[in-house]
Amino acid sequence: MNILILTKEMKTTAKSLGSLIKTAKKQLLLIRINEAEKNYSSGNFKVLKNVRDLLK
């Protein structure tokens, strides 16, 4: 197999994996946001002291 072809295939694979990772992170973030919204609307949440400090 030609080294140039192999290099192109590796770059394509890396781009595909990068895209897959970005999609997975976005989906995970959306799931966490949905869970947080459900907890907030049901009144099942706590505000931690250190979180308030972060908001300042």
Side-chain angles (χ1 to χ4, degrees):
M1 195 173 229
N2 189 345
I3 293 176
L4 183 60
I5 292 172
L6 185 59
T7 304
K8 286 182 180 179
E9 288 180 7
M10 288 173 60
K11 285 182 182 178
T12 301
T13 302
K15 286 181 183 177
S16 297
L17 285 173
S19 177
L20 183 62
I21 290 169
K22 280 184 181 179
T23 301
K25 285 181 178 180
K26 287 178 184 177
Q27 289 177 344
L28 181 60
L29 181 60
L30 288 174
I31 290 170
R32 293 182 74 185
I33 289 170
N34 286 336
E35 288 176 0
E37 287 175 343
K38 286 178 190 174
N39 287 339
Y40 183 77
S41 63
S42 68
N44 185 20
F45 65 94
K46 295 180 188 175
V47 177
L48 303 175
K49 291 179 183 177
N50 61 348
V51 173
R52 289 188 183 127
D53 293 338
L54 292 172
L55 295 174
K56 292 179 182 179

